[in-house]
Amino acid sequence: MPNPRNRGRVEAGAAGMLFRRHLLAVVSGLIAVCAFPPVGWWPLVLVGAPLFLLALSGAGFRHGFYLGLIHGMVFYGVALSWFWNLFQQAAIGLWLILALFHGLAGMIAGGMSKRHDGARWLAVYAALGWAAIEYFRAEWFWLRFPWLTHGLGLGPTWLSPWIGVYGAGFLVMLAACQVVFGRRIQRPVGMAVALALIALGIFRPPPVIPQGAGVPVLAVQSENLDFETYLRMSAGVPFSDGIILWPEYAASSGLRRYPADLEKARKLAEERNSTLVMGTVAAIDETKHYNEAVAVEATGIVGSHYKNRPVPFMGDGVAGDRAEPLATRFGPIGTPICFDCDYVEIVRRMTAGGAEAFAVPSMDATHWSRRQHLQHAEIFKHRALENGRWIAVC
């Protein structure tokens, strides 16, 4: 007959293992949070990933899913705590939706590491699976929220123009997967990749020194969302021969609907010998609109761009489907609007279309928190380095 004492020891051992897995899922999520602003200890992205994989190793498909869900809820709930300021209780549902992707990745890694423990291809398979899920969540999923990826946590490096933020994220996960899931010869390779990424993080590209006079930019920002406020603020600064940048929705009722306001904008551009880039709206019908960026010069409106990626749940308008630079007196200038720049596609398409620089109307409200502002600012750094272009944004 089976010894009840031995069976009790086995059950206690299994319970202890499960507790350690859950603890690692929570701790690795908290460590990953610290890799992003406002803490910004970027090397921790190379610590949190392998710790999470340790929790998943051999866990199986079902436990892997739950571990990933726990990890994701801790990670997003803390890192995106500012969601509560925008959505209150609904923020819990949004954190859960994002955490489900970690659950899916955890299910794959946990299940395959149990079923194919020691397989040569396991580390690469797990890293590719995580990278694919991360890319889908960030760029293709209907919510499209490309914040807090592993590549963003690592920060801009010399690799950014070559493989972009998602390629860097794959390398982070490849190093972690080789260390945790790899066979004996693969683990030193994983450590070498991790050390190489640390070296890239320490020795980042230096600040670019402008050659020649360049084009100055006067960035004007206020939360009034009032055309006259931005006009007074601009008039109070001695600025000329450059780009005057106002935020999105600076003319929140529509610039073309009010000829007097359009004439004031045109006159400001004429007097300052400048190009005014500003946010407004373009009405589609009585209930729908585009979030629009326009460039105004002495001759009037010389071009416009409709926001391709409206912010979900924010009444941000209908999505535009074109991403082309505007022809200004200073050359072709890209004017993606705020959330457009969170994605690789829009800025890349404008760059491919000839954009020589970017002036981005943006509006991140103060009550969204300093954490939100710092996290968002990181994304613009990546877009600039990935495309080799200056980006002016408040």
Side-chain angles (χ1 to χ4, degrees):
M1 294 179 60
N3 189 330
R5 184 176 299 177
N6 289 339
R7 185 172 62 185
R9 289 172 180 170
V10 171
E11 291 175 352
M17 174 61 74
L18 190 59
F19 172 78
R20 288 191 290 273
R21 290 187 189 279
H22 283 80
L23 182 62
L24 274 174
V26 171
V27 170
S28 61
L30 293 174
I31 288 175
V33 168
C34 295
F36 296 89
V39 179
W41 295 345
W42 62 266
L44 292 181
V45 76
L46 295 161
V47 177
L51 284 179
F52 179 45
L53 293 175
L54 279 175
L56 296 173
S57 183
F61 290 104
R62 183 167 64 90
H63 283 146
F65 173 78
Y66 290 125
L67 290 168
L69 193 64
I70 292 170
H71 173 87
M73 282 298 290
V74 170
F75 176 60
Y76 291 115
V78 177
L80 300 177
S81 59
W82 53 269
F83 269 21
W84 193 271
N85 299 344
L86 279 73
F87 307 110
Q88 283 74 54
Q89 291 86 349
I92 299 173
L94 295 175
W95 295 329
L96 179 59
I97 291 173
L98 294 173
L100 285 172
F101 290 97
H102 286 236
L104 178 59
M107 182 177 69
I108 293 173
M112 298 304 285
S113 64
K114 183 176 182 179
R115 182 172 295 182
H116 301 283
D117 183 30
R120 294 182 178 179
W121 48 264
L122 178 60
V124 175
Y125 177 88
L128 283 172
W130 187 284
I133 290 170
E134 187 173 73
Y135 185 84
F136 176 80
R137 184 265 291 180
E139 298 283 340
W140 288 356
F141 182 58
W142 69 275
L143 279 180
R144 290 194 182 102
F145 191 72
W147 295 44
L148 306 181
T149 63
H150 285 97
L152 284 173
L154 182 65
T157 70
W158 290 101
L159 291 177
S160 297
W162 298 94
I163 62 175
V165 67
Y166 299 110
F170 166 71
L171 291 181
V172 170
M173 289 308 300
L174 180 63
C177 288
Q178 285 182 320
V179 170
V180 177
F181 297 146
R183 302 176 69 175
R184 182 176 300 178
I185 195 172
Q186 292 176 308
R187 291 170 185 167
V189 175
M191 290 297 297
V193 173
L195 290 173
L197 292 174
I198 291 174
L200 287 168
I202 294 173
F203 302 102
R204 299 186 188 275
V208 177
I209 300 175
Q211 302 296 321
V215 179
V217 178
L218 172 65
V220 180
Q221 198 81 358
S222 166
E223 296 200 9
N224 285 12
L225 296 180
D226 175 70
F227 178 87
E228 293 295 334
T229 296
Y230 300 120
L231 195 65
R232 288 195 301 270
M233 292 173 69
S234 302
V237 179
F239 177 88
S240 63
D241 302 301
I243 295 173
I244 301 173
L245 176 60
W246 290 3
E248 63 180 321
Y249 291 114
S252 56
S253 298
L255 188 63
R256 293 180 180 85
R257 292 180 59 189
Y258 297 92
D261 287 348
L262 176 56
E263 174 59 20
K264 292 176 183 178
R266 188 204 66 78
K267 188 174 181 181
L268 172 66
E270 181 181 43
E271 291 175 350
R272 299 302 181 89
N273 196 32
S274 296
T275 298
L276 171 61
V277 175
M278 61 179 291
T280 183
V281 298
I284 300 174
D285 54 35
E286 292 184 357
T287 60
K288 297 179 182 178
H289 72 275
Y290 290 113
N291 184 341
E292 183 182 27
V294 297
V296 181
E297 296 184 345
T299 56
I301 295 176
V302 297
S304 73
H305 164 75
Y306 296 149
K307 193 173 189 177
N308 283 201
R309 296 288 187 268
V311 181
F313 313 118
M314 299 293 286
D316 202 19
V318 175
D321 58 4
R322 301 184 67 177
E324 300 171 347
L326 308 186
T328 74
R329 62 190 300 272
F330 298 107
I333 301 295
T335 60
I337 303 171
C338 196
F339 209 52
D340 279 344
C341 296
D342 293 13
Y343 306 86
V344 296
E345 176 190 1
I346 291 91
V347 176
R348 184 173 64 233
R349 283 165 57 191
M350 288 186 173
T351 301
E356 296 177 357
F358 289 82
V360 181
S362 181
M363 175 57 74
D364 285 354
T366 297
H367 75 274
W368 292 358
S369 82
R370 177 175 176 270
R371 178 187 294 265
Q372 186 273 345
H373 283 56
L374 293 174
Q375 289 174 356
H376 203 185
E378 283 296 304
I379 298 177
F380 290 93
K381 298 176 185 178
H382 283 267
R383 296 294 94 86
L385 191 54
E386 286 168 353
N387 294 278
R389 296 293 186 271
W390 292 97
I391 295 181
V393 58
C394 284

